[in-house]
């Protein structure tokens, strides 16, 4: 059975030019050796903050050296690696993504900045990769995107809150995100629902979409204490994004798949419906939503998150 035969919520679509592309200096240059449009993903490396960092890169089948394309970062979960994230997120799947370069960075210690006790400069790593990619690929610099799972989803949130990188990455898609917050009081009672979430994005509005399962036992939907820090409830985290962007708490709630999936879209009263979006999937654990079994979930679930993310990214260039 192919992905295209499955019952997905959205069909993957090519990126549409809502605003003029801004071509990077790498347009017109040949691809690096061994990197072929539609071919197998290749390992590559870069020195960042004096450390050799690695990533996996996939060139889409439609890539042309003279046509600027989007680029999607996909960050793995804690204890995982770049190859596993490629298989999980499916951004190298032509049926979901025929147009954008997909990059799967590898975290030091298999985790990311923003996770308790992690001291690596991963925001610097992302910035250095973007500088490199602008020089060696034909990138539409208005269409960098970031997604990630668990620790990688938390890091996606860290990038969205970064004053500089939030102005260079167009939209963000954490899945089962681990949004740790250092707390001075015990993370019990109503604290996960009210804890202050530090965040200083450099632009407003900022498009962000989050996916979470109601049965996630790792990064619980209700938040709570973990690794001696505090995880906010996911509704609190989502609402704070809407409030931060000036959209308040009013949202359009849509029940999908016989009420098993709830979609919450904020910003409609301001002509920005869905610029902050959240999907709650009933009964889903700590998993990237997929109709096929994957490394997270041997049973599959009601929909595929990846084409929804692609559709969201497609709507939101810088």
């Amino acid at each position: 059975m192919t992905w295209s035969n499955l019952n997905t919520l959205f069909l993957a679509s090519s990126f549409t030019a809502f605003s003029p592309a801004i071509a990077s200096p790498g347009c017109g240059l040949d691809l690096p050796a061994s990197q072929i449009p539609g071919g197998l993903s290749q390992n590559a490396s870069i020195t960042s903050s004096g450390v050799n960092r690695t990533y996996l890169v996939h060139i889409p089948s439609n890539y042309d050296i003279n046509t600027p394309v989007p680029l999607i970062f996909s960050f793995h979960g804690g204890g995982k690696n770049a190859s596993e994230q490629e298989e999980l997120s499916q951004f190298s799947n032509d049926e979901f993504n025929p147009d954008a370069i997909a990059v799967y960075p590898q975290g030091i210690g298999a985790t990311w900045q923003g996770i308790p006790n992690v001291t690596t400069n991963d925001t610097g790593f992302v910035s250095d990769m973007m500088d490199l990619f602008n020089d060696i690929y034909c990138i539409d610099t208005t269409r960098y995107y970031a997604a990630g799972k668990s620790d990688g989803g938390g890091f996606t949130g860290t990038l969205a809150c970064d004053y500089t990188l939030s102005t260079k990455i167009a939209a963000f898609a954490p899945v089962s995100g681990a949004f740790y917050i250092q707390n001075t009081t015990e993370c019990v009672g109503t604290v996960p629902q009210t804890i202050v979430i530090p965040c200083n994005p450099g632009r407003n509005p900022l498009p962000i979409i989050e996916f979470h399962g109601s049965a996630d036992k790792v990064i619980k939907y209700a938040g709570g204490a973990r690794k001696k820090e505090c995880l906010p409830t996911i509704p609190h985290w989502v609402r704070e994004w809407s409030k931060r962007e000036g959209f308040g708490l009013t949202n359009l709630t849509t029940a999908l798949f016989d009420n098993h999936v709830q979609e919450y879209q904020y910003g409609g009263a301001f002509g920005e419906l869905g610029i902050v979006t959240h999907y709650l999937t009933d009964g889903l654990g700590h998993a990237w939503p997929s109709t096929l079994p994957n490394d997270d979930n041997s049973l599959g679930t009601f929909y595929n998150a990846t084409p929804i993310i692609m559709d969201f990214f497609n709507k939101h260039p810088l």
Side-chain angles (χ1 to χ4, degrees):
M1 180 179 291
T2 66
W3 288 90
S4 59
N5 290 330
L6 299 172
N7 180 25
T8 57
L9 184 61
F10 289 97
L11 295 176
S13 60
S14 297
F15 280 86
T16 307
F18 289 96
S19 59
I22 299 178
S24 70
C27 291
L29 300 180
D30 290 337
L31 284 168
S34 78
Q35 296 184 18
I36 302 170
L40 294 176
S41 301
Q42 300 295 315
N43 286 299
S45 64
I46 184 176
T47 299
S48 179
S49 300
V51 179
N52 185 60
R53 303 296 302 267
T54 62
Y55 57 89
L56 193 64
V57 58
H58 178 78
I59 307 300
S61 57
N62 289 346
Y63 183 81
D64 180 279
I65 63 172
N66 297 305
T67 303
V69 298
L71 187 145
I72 299 168
F73 289 108
S74 184
F75 300 97
H76 63 75
K80 300 293 185 177
N81 61 44
S83 295
E84 290 171 311
Q85 181 63 15
E86 178 179 36
E87 179 64 25
L88 181 68
S89 63
Q90 290 288 311
F91 288 117
S92 300
N93 185 337
D94 248 15
E95 295 188 48
F96 292 158
N97 173 31
D99 298 316
I101 294 173
V103 173
Y104 308 90
Q106 180 62 47
I108 292 177
T111 189
W112 299 102
Q113 180 181 342
I115 306 306
N117 301 314
V118 173
T119 59
T120 51
N121 182 11
D122 289 320
T123 52
F125 176 33
V126 171
S127 182
D128 290 341
M129 284 190 290
M130 292 174 71
D131 288 343
L132 173 65
F133 298 155
N134 285 340
D135 286 339
I136 65 175
Y137 301 123
C138 190
I139 303 294
D140 177 355
T141 60
T142 72
R143 290 186 175 275
Y144 274 100
Y145 300 100
K149 163 73 192 305
S150 192
D151 284 8
F155 180 57
T156 301
T158 296
L159 292 172
C161 287
D162 185 89
Y163 186 80
T164 300
L165 286 172
S166 62
T167 68
K168 297 181 178 181
I169 299 173
F172 302 83
V175 177
S176 301
F179 309 114
Y180 291 96
I181 301 169
Q182 291 184 343
N183 54 305
T184 56
T185 58
E186 193 175 1
C187 188
V188 295
T190 61
V191 171
Q193 302 170 38
T194 59
I195 191 168
V196 175
I197 301 175
C199 189
N200 186 33
R203 78 183 218 266
N204 184 41
L206 183 146
I208 192 162
I209 183 171
E210 201 274 348
F211 298 80
H212 227 93
S214 67
D216 192 327
K217 295 180 180 179
V218 180
I219 306 299
K220 296 179 180 179
Y221 196 72
R226 193 169 193 269
K227 296 185 177 181
K228 299 182 179 180
E229 292 194 8
C230 192
L231 292 169
T233 70
I234 297 304
H236 176 51
W237 185 87
V238 173
R239 291 167 188 156
E240 286 301 292
W241 265 110
S242 183
K243 288 165 61 179
R244 191 179 296 121
E245 300 191 26
F247 301 135
L249 300 181
T250 302
N251 69 85
L252 174 65
T253 303
T254 305
L256 305 168
F257 298 100
D258 295 326
N259 212 38
H260 291 293
V261 179
Q262 302 296 319
E263 178 194 48
Y264 303 90
Q265 295 177 292
Y266 294 81
F270 299 85
E272 295 279 4
L273 180 65
I275 197 163
V276 175
T277 295
H278 169 53
Y279 279 79
L280 169 60
T281 305
D282 183 47
L284 184 67
H286 192 58
W288 189 287
S290 169
T291 54
L292 283 180
N294 60 23
D295 188 50
D296 283 349
N297 179 11
S298 62
L299 300 176
T301 190
F302 306 100
Y303 65 98
N304 291 313
T306 302
I308 299 174
I309 293 170
M310 293 300 301
D311 184 71
F312 186 79
F313 285 170
N314 185 36
K315 293 175 181 176
H316 297 293
L318 284 175

